[in-house]
Amino acid sequence: MRRVAIVAPEQALRESLVRIAEAGCVEIDLAGDGGPDVRGRAATRLQRLRAEPAQPVLSEAPPDLDALEREGRTDLLAGEAQLEERLGSAVRHGAVAALAGWCPEAQVGATAARIAGAGGALMPLRTPRGIDPPTLLTGADTASPAFTARPVRRSFTPLVTTYGTVPYADLDPTMAAGIVYVVMFGLMFGDAGHGLLLVGIALLLRAGRPRRVAALRPLWPFVAGAGLAAALAGVAYGEFFGPTGVLPVLWLEPLEEPMRLLAAAVGLGAVLLAVAYAAGIVNRWREGGPAAALYATTGIAGAALYLGLAAVAGYVWLGQAGYGVVGAAIAAVGLALAGVGLYATTAGGPGGAVQTGIQLFDAVVRIGSNVVSFARLAAFGLTHAALGAIVWDGTTALAGRGPVGVVAAVLVFLAGNALTFALEALVAGVQALRLEFYELFSRLFEGEGRPFRPWHLPVEHLTGPAADTGPLAVAQAVRRGPAREEEA
């Protein structure tokens, strides 16, 4: 992200800003001085109409505001109001005006070339001290056609933005967060039949069906990934609409080996926590330098405490004294570093020491509880398998009781699987999200950034005779198709 200045002669400023709005890749700083609300001419007319504003649109040429008000063109008035707000925020020196803002590095050249045709210039500036640039995640999608996001990355982005805005200095966790989520979901929703149904739902979303949920179409890769993970887990469990025997057990049968599944879930959680600590160290270093990375409970200090406690757990599990000694030493170093960092944030004295001790105790307890929390991957996987077994047992029990029993068996199978699918999809989705946010993201992020909000408005272009008939014709001809413009 680059700090930029939009510089133009006063008479070329409007056209330059119209081109900026059409490009939609520059966030312009507004005055926002906290003074009185001085409304522009377009905003005043828009308020007088007392109508619900339509989607703002800009006219390529200055329109006749009186004509727009008479015709109730709230869309053009709203667009002009936004333009007036930015014109009013410009700094002027003689015949030259300038505005500051932010633009993604990759878009600076193209945007500069775009406004050069209007007589303006886009000049890169140094980032001011103490100000973090706004964040635009790699997979984020804006209304501007200048930004394109790959479908998979774009579908994963809501996972991160729902939690908060990633600080500009931090790593972009979009892809990693999406992959981890679908893996955890798959372990809890492990059934090949149900997973394939979820893939089918994803394909319907991709096709825009049903229309009432067409707004969810960008999420189809996310849903497909979750369904594929669930199908693969079902193949490993030997589950296809329950323990129907259609698939052989390739790894383990959840209801027969619950402890093995539990150990695998906790082991996976331990690995994910270690990765989260590694990413947290990088983020703390990029945010505040070596000291911030060293003393933070989500940095090196916290990682050392975690690894030390993991080694102590290895001693308890394996009975090897060496693990206990090494683990205790590493954990002590981590506690000491974390204690220094925590004490520095207090008011000092005995009160600060007590506060630090409580926070250190909480850090130790949280590590243990967070690792154990991943046991829910196994618990809800067992729940799904148990519900599938109940439905299948009921189906097979009814199937041997004549024609009526066969019909009843089919109804039980369909209704039971529908209920299991709906209930477990909801539970697994919520629990995977909880693990992502509380156990993992809490170690990645300590603060929150500010999202990049480029100014983007559609612009109505006029061609042919309508372009030369004055501002009233502009007001009347905007938003017409090419054929109607030629008629005008």
Side-chain angles (χ1 to χ4, degrees):
M1 193 69 66
R2 285 299 301 266
R3 185 70 170 168
V4 295
I6 303 165
V7 183
E10 184 69 38
Q11 67 272 18
L13 183 59
R14 184 190 191 279
E15 185 178 353
S16 297
L17 287 179
V18 168
R19 296 191 179 199
I20 289 286
E22 187 174 30
C25 53
V26 178
E27 179 183 298
I28 299 176
D29 295 347
L30 301 179
D33 57 1
D37 182 15
V38 181
R39 294 182 179 273
R41 295 184 301 144
T44 301
R45 286 167 170 77
L46 186 63
Q47 186 180 31
R48 283 204 299 255
L49 287 176
R50 299 178 181 275
E52 186 70 24
Q55 177 68 31
V57 176
L58 274 177
S59 172
E60 183 179 19
D64 185 329
L65 298 181
D66 292 330
L68 295 181
E69 183 180 4
R70 287 194 300 270
E71 296 176 5
R73 295 301 302 274
T74 58
D75 54 348
L76 286 167
L77 286 174
E80 286 298 314
Q82 291 190 21
L83 181 62
E84 287 177 347
E85 186 178 19
R86 283 150 183 83
L87 289 171
S89 299
V91 177
R92 291 169 171 81
H93 183 74
V96 178
L99 288 151
W102 299 95
C103 181
E105 183 79 36
Q107 302 292 336
V108 171
T111 306
R114 176 184 286 266
I115 68 173
L122 190 72
M123 302 174 57
L125 303 174
R126 290 183 178 179
T127 301
R129 286 182 177 271
I131 296 180
D132 290 329
T135 301
L136 174 65
L137 293 180
T138 307
D141 188 47
T142 72
S144 169
F147 296 95
T148 57
R150 293 182 178 180
V152 174
R153 183 180 288 274
R154 180 186 177 190
S155 70
F156 287 161
T157 300
L159 266 179
V160 181
T161 55
T162 299
Y163 183 81
T165 302
V166 178
Y168 182 76
D170 287 6
L171 298 171
D172 179 0
T174 303
M175 284 300 296
I179 293 171
V180 169
Y181 182 94
V182 299
V183 169
M184 293 191 297
F185 178 90
L187 289 175
M188 290 184 283
F189 197 68
D191 187 290
H194 292 169
L196 292 176
L197 283 178
L198 207 53
V199 172
I201 292 174
L203 294 177
L204 287 176
L205 287 177
R206 185 175 185 271
R209 297 288 186 272
R211 291 185 178 181
R212 67 181 64 181
V213 294
L216 300 178
R217 185 177 184 273
L219 298 179
W220 79 265
F222 185 19
V223 178
L228 183 59
L232 292 176
V235 170
Y237 298 157
E239 296 276 331
F240 185 82
F241 294 110
T244 55
V246 174
L247 297 175
V249 178
L250 297 184
W251 178 39
L252 60 81
E253 190 173 352
L255 295 178
E256 297 297 325
E257 299 180 87
M259 295 307 298
R260 187 180 171 191
L261 181 61
L262 179 63
V266 173
L268 174 62
V271 172
L272 292 177
L273 286 175
V275 173
Y277 271 115
I281 292 172
V282 175
N283 286 346
R284 300 298 86 74
W285 191 293
R286 295 172 65 164
E287 292 167 359
L294 180 62
Y295 296 110
T297 54
T298 56
I300 294 175
L305 178 59
Y306 173 74
L307 292 176
L309 293 177
V312 172
Y315 157 68
V316 174
W317 184 266
L318 301 174
Q320 298 290 331
Y323 286 106
V325 173
V326 174
I330 296 175
V333 172
L335 278 173
L337 292 174
V340 171
L342 291 171
Y343 185 77
T345 62
T346 68
V354 172
Q355 179 180 339
T356 300
I358 294 173
Q359 289 176 313
L360 288 176
F361 177 77
D362 177 69
V364 174
V365 172
R366 280 188 59 202
I367 287 175
S369 62
N370 290 162
V371 174
V372 174
S373 185
F374 281 91
R376 70 188 64 224
L377 297 176
F380 289 106
L382 288 168
T383 302
H384 196 158
L387 289 175
I390 292 172
V391 173
W392 182 242
D393 288 344
T395 300
T396 54
L398 291 171
R401 298 186 179 182
V404 176
V406 171
V407 173
V410 171
L411 293 176
V412 167
F413 183 79
L414 294 177
N417 274 282
L419 178 61
T420 300
F421 179 91
L423 180 62
E424 288 299 302
L426 175 63
V427 170
V430 170
Q431 293 302 323
L433 192 66
R434 184 225 178 268
L435 289 170
E436 190 103 68
F437 283 2
Y438 290 98
E439 272 65 38
L440 302 179
F441 281 4
S442 63
R443 286 166 171 79
L444 264 64
F445 311 123
E446 283 197 340
E448 188 170 355
R450 180 175 68 83
F452 175 64
R453 295 190 175 95
W455 184 44
H456 173 64
L457 291 179
V459 176
E460 296 293 344
H461 297 276
L462 292 177
T463 59
D468 302 320
T469 54
L472 181 58
V474 171
Q476 294 173 340
V478 291
R479 297 187 70 83
R480 295 181 180 177
R484 295 187 64 186
E485 288 175 7
E486 292 177 1
E487 294 173 4

